[in-house]
Amino acid sequence: MIQPVVLCGGSGTRLWPLSRKSFPKQFVPIIDGKSLLALTLERVAQFCEPAAGGVMCVGADDHRFLIREAMSDAGVTGSIILEPCARNTAPAMAFAALSAPTPEQLMLFCPADHHIPDAAAFAAMVKSASSCAEQGTIVTFGVAPTFPSTAYGYIERGDAHADGCYGVKRFIEKPNSQFAQELLLQGQVYWNAGIFLCTAATLLAALGEHAPDILAQCRQAMAAPQSDGNFLRPAAAAVEACRSESIDYAVMERHRSVAVFPFHGSWSDVGSWGAMADMCPPDGHGNRIAGQGVAINARNTFIHAHYRRVVALGTDDLVIVDTPDALLVTVHSAAEQVKNVVAELEARGNPEAAFHRKVVRPWGSYDSIEEGQRFKVKRIIVNPSASLSLQKHYHRAEHWIIVKGTAEVTCGKEVFLLTENQSTYIPLGEVHRLHNPGKTPLEMIEVQSGSYLGEDDIVRLDDNYGRVVVPITDAKSSR
């Protein structure tokens, strides 16, 4: 019996502008309309058994509703451990191990943002490595390399075990191009996939030996966690005091009982625009197109354009990524440096570093499609049976026009229904709420007007999603 644990942290800055800190790559619909997290959950669902508690996810508190929605879309149940701040994979895995039903529970730790199209081959690999993990070994999975990549760390294997695993001779940091070629020619090496299989007791003992300070803080954080439905919140103060460290540095590179199991199937961490490009078939000139791109007299050009027509004329060796509010153009060789762009945008105070124009909320989403002095226009989607907060604004009035579906509107003491092509007006300072009573998404255009149109001009009086009701002076950017 295996307990899948999906590690949902990570900011995905190397896939900017598609991935932003508020909506990282693991949540973005990338492959056939599905997110990498949803695909990961579907892949590990085959291991789920009620006695083991289903899937366990560990992620940021800010992303709790995105994680829950992905679990619902994948048809899996389980628990979600919410970190108040990012502390890397060692603490995240410790939280999961401390939540295991028994110390002997076999746990499969998987990143949320990897693409492994052959789920059957993945399952066979994990099951084959189970006996080794049950004997107290931490098993990591190595991908047979297909080219000398400088984007991945490597694992050099040692002696063979009877169960198909190998001992680990050494872990190798991401190499330069020449060293990567040497490693590939040498053989006996694998890409480090960052997937681990071990019992809860094995992991906790290894952390106790090599990172006792991390384990102590995690134990303190999980001593009396707050529980809210399937959300589990470790004590914030203890998590904030915990050292941030990856499991590779904290344990794997120093632990004695570590084994690697080879995986020969297709795998990608989708960690760069080069990796994204590789997922698209090339044309006769090496161009790869995702969406509405057009390449004319171009060579080795990748275009990612799902929102409008993007034409590359006479280009060579370019990556072009178009989103509604930001455009990236770079040569392939610089694609790994995109995270530096994000850091520069943050330093300049540009909101596009962290936020999309379209913002996901637990009730649906909104897209700020136009903005000017004293007005803003939004396209709002409300999921079936969902409701926005009961709220009011001190600085703006709103006009609502229903485009699709049915809206139940609370405005002051009135409650009434609106259908397609009908509209209403919410005066400044009036208490109001929007609810979708139907079974299909509600689509609405909102026109705001007033002296201040920031998202913090919200006094939330009631909320269905457990978000804190606060006065305007403390209000966060939530709705």
Side-chain angles (χ1 to χ4, degrees):
M1 187 165 60
I2 297 172
Q3 164 82 69
V5 179
V6 180
L7 305 174
C8 304
S11 57
T13 53
R14 287 184 296 167
L15 281 185
W16 186 90
L18 183 65
S19 173
R20 316 273 176 104
K21 289 185 177 180
S22 65
F23 195 58
K25 69 171 180 175
Q26 58 267 33
F27 303 110
V28 179
I30 288 178
I31 300 168
D32 298 329
K34 293 184 178 182
S35 68
L36 294 171
L37 173 56
L39 292 169
T40 300
L41 290 167
E42 290 177 0
R43 187 166 58 248
V44 302
Q46 56 197 311
F47 302 112
C48 293
E49 297 184 35
V55 175
M56 187 182 298
C57 292
V58 185
D61 189 80
D62 288 345
H63 300 147
R64 61 193 183 280
F65 298 114
L66 296 172
I67 298 172
R68 187 169 69 181
E69 182 178 359
M71 292 176 70
S72 176
D73 290 345
V76 301
T77 59
S79 57
I80 304 172
I81 300 175
L82 299 175
E83 300 173 295
C85 55
R87 285 296 179 263
N88 219 311
T89 51
M93 291 171 62
F95 294 145
L98 290 166
S99 302
T102 66
E104 296 77 26
Q105 176 66 60
L106 201 57
M107 310 190 81
L108 173 67
F109 297 92
C110 298
D113 55 358
H114 290 185
H115 181 47
I116 304 175
D118 193 340
F122 174 79
M125 171 189 72
V126 172
K127 291 174 181 175
S128 297
S130 296
S131 60
C132 182
E134 288 170 343
Q135 296 169 17
T137 298
I138 301 178
V139 179
T140 186
F141 296 95
V143 177
T146 54
F147 65 96
S149 174
T150 60
Y152 305 135
Y154 287 73
I155 303 170
E156 184 176 357
R157 77 186 193 193
D159 296 333
H161 295 184
D163 48 22
C165 289
Y166 293 86
V168 173
K169 184 174 290 187
R170 59 171 172 159
F171 289 88
I172 303 167
E173 295 288 336
K174 295 177 182 178
N176 59 32
S177 180
Q178 181 179 345
F179 190 21
Q181 293 180 24
E182 292 173 1
L183 289 171
L184 208 64
L185 292 172
Q186 164 194 325
Q188 315 299 311
V189 295
Y190 304 100
W191 288 334
N192 188 349
I195 303 172
F196 308 96
L197 183 68
C198 62
T199 66
T202 296
L203 178 65
L204 294 176
L207 283 166
E209 179 180 353
H210 303 292
D213 60 319
I214 291 178
L215 180 59
Q217 290 298 142
C218 291
R219 285 193 186 278
Q220 184 179 340
M222 295 299 290
Q226 293 182 353
S227 180
D228 175 17
N230 62 341
F231 294 139
L232 198 65
R233 290 180 169 86
V239 178
E240 290 166 359
C242 185
R243 175 164 54 92
S244 178
E245 185 108 71
S246 73
I247 194 67
D248 297 274
Y249 290 145
V251 170
M252 300 301 293
E253 295 184 1
R254 295 187 282 170
H255 197 54
R256 293 181 302 277
S257 189
V258 174
V260 59
F261 194 97
F263 179 59
H264 296 279
S266 177
W267 168 88
S268 172
D269 72 345
V270 199
S272 68
W273 281 112
M276 279 286 288
D278 290 341
M279 296 170 65
C280 300
D283 65 14
H285 300 285
N287 301 307
R288 300 171 188 265
I289 309 296
Q292 301 182 53
V294 177
I296 301 173
N297 297 330
R299 297 179 60 84
N300 301 321
T301 293
F302 172 58
I303 306 174
H304 186 281
H306 286 281
Y307 299 95
R308 56 188 163 183
R309 190 73 61 197
V310 174
V311 179
L313 174 62
T315 59
D316 187 10
D317 197 40
L318 285 188
V319 173
I320 303 170
V321 182
D322 182 54
T323 68
D325 62 344
L327 173 68
L328 171 70
V329 181
T330 179
V331 293
H332 276 281
S333 60
E336 292 285 343
Q337 302 171 32
V338 170
K339 61 181 179 181
N340 299 333
V341 173
V342 177
E344 176 65 23
L345 292 176
E346 287 180 331
R348 296 184 182 195
N350 298 128
E352 293 84 3
F355 299 100
H356 278 285
R357 199 183 76 175
K358 180 179 178 180
V359 178
V360 177
R361 290 290 184 240
W363 44 261
S365 64
Y366 68 82
D367 185 358
S368 299
I369 57 180
E370 187 62 63
E371 185 172 358
Q373 188 173 6
R374 295 184 64 87
F375 82 91
K376 182 183 291 186
V377 181
K378 290 182 176 181
R379 177 175 176 260
I380 295 177
I381 305 294
V382 184
N383 296 330
S385 302
S387 300
L388 279 68
S389 302
L390 182 68
Q391 58 186 252
K392 65 179 180 179
H393 312 293
Y394 286 146
H395 302 286
R396 71 175 184 249
E398 297 175 345
H399 295 260
W400 293 351
I401 304 100
I402 307 305
V403 176
K404 187 184 298 182
T406 300
E408 180 186 274
V409 178
T410 298
C411 185
K413 296 182 179 180
E414 291 187 82
V415 179
F416 52 93
L417 295 178
L418 293 178
T419 56
E420 295 180 16
N421 299 318
Q422 294 184 324
S423 62
T424 191
Y425 170 65
I426 309 295
L428 183 150
E430 187 64 271
V431 174
H432 60 279
R433 175 174 242 158
L434 179 65
H435 170 63
N436 180 1
K439 296 183 178 179
T440 59
L442 163 66
E443 182 176 340
M444 182 186 84
I445 298 298
E446 176 182 89
V447 181
Q448 303 175 359
S449 61
S451 60
Y452 178 71
L453 305 175
E455 284 300 309
D456 54 350
D457 180 21
I458 296 174
V459 181
R460 189 187 302 127
L461 305 174
D462 183 53
D463 185 68
N464 294 337
Y465 307 102
R467 297 175 296 179
V468 178
V469 177
V470 292
I472 187 172
T473 53
D474 298 323
K476 301 294 183 182
S477 176
S478 56
R479 181 167 194 163

